[in-house]
Amino acid sequence: MWTGLTSAACHERDRDEPETSCHRGGDRHGWRLCPSLCYFAVVQQNITKTLRNDSLKPLHRLRQWFDIQFDFLKQADFRNGCLIGNFSAEVGPHSDMINAKLIEMYAEIHGSVVYCLKAAVKSGELPATTDCKELAHFLYSSLQGAILQAKVERSPLPLKRFIKIAYSTILR
């Protein structure tokens, strides 16, 4: 179920962040949160390589970030979605602790997309009138919807459609 994650990644995170350890006792929801924390560590690495990588042109790094999502889903034949999206739909509503952590994750992703979009405005790749915060919300929500649809259809077409429309109409 947790394609792309290894127990070694979780153990490494446990060593570096003992307060969120998967093996911490006394927390009735902590064991459910562990996979999303390990997954988010991978998400953060991908954000650093793409959205926050100032050595690349902004819209190129955004595209690379989208491509990472696509490749991750492709590895699982589009049967698994984004773990953050899955947790948001299935677990978040039942645990205040997990929901709060998901809100933090969304905020970090949103902030990174905004960072990239602001760089695109500054470099002239996007118009100066671009509302980067709203566009970031729209792009991430649309991406999550495309991921969900790709998972249901077990097809790359929803993600390909999302990227094509994003770059042919919005990000130009």
Side-chain angles (χ1 to χ4, degrees):
M1 181 172 172
W2 314 118
T3 302
L5 297 178
T6 65
S7 61
C10 287
H11 293 302
E12 183 177 322
R13 188 197 49 75
D14 286 350
R15 186 181 60 248
D16 296 340
E17 301 176 43
E19 69 279 2
T20 60
S21 173
C22 301
H23 305 90
R24 179 176 50 152
D27 181 351
R28 67 184 193 101
H29 294 295
W31 65 272
R32 286 187 243 167
L33 187 56
C34 179
S36 67
L37 293 174
C38 293
Y39 177 83
F40 194 64
V42 173
V43 169
Q44 289 171 313
Q45 290 171 358
N46 291 333
I47 285 172
T48 300
K49 288 190 308 192
T50 59
L51 298 173
R52 293 195 176 266
N53 183 350
D54 292 331
S55 69
L56 303 173
K57 287 186 170 189
L59 292 185
H60 177 72
R61 50 179 131 143
L62 182 64
R63 175 59 193 258
Q64 283 189 323
W65 186 66
F66 291 152
D67 288 345
I68 286 172
Q69 316 309 308
F70 183 89
D71 291 343
F72 178 79
L73 296 168
K74 185 178 178 182
Q75 287 176 355
D77 294 324
F78 298 93
R79 293 179 182 269
N80 298 334
C82 168
L83 189 57
I84 296 167
N86 293 345
F87 263 57
S88 297
E90 299 296 330
V91 182
H94 305 290
S95 167
D96 290 342
M97 180 189 73
I98 292 173
N99 195 62
K101 192 51 107 174
L102 289 166
I103 289 169
E104 289 176 23
M105 291 175 188
Y106 277 118
E108 186 168 334
I109 293 167
H110 178 260
S112 296
V113 175
V114 169
Y115 177 86
C116 186
L117 293 173
K118 284 182 176 182
V121 168
K122 186 176 179 181
S123 72
E125 289 186 282
L126 288 175
T129 57
T130 303
D131 184 336
C132 295
K133 289 181 181 180
E134 287 300 309
L135 181 55
H137 282 302
F138 175 78
L139 289 171
Y140 191 63
S141 296
S142 298
L143 173 64
Q144 284 295 325
I147 289 171
L148 182 61
Q149 188 176 356
K151 179 181 170 183
V152 169
E153 294 177 8
R154 295 183 183 155
S155 168
L157 293 178
L159 282 163
K160 287 181 177 183
R161 188 179 306 119
F162 162 73
I163 292 169
K164 177 183 173 188
I165 296 299
Y167 276 86
S168 67
T169 62
I170 300 167
L171 300 171
R172 54 186 193 123

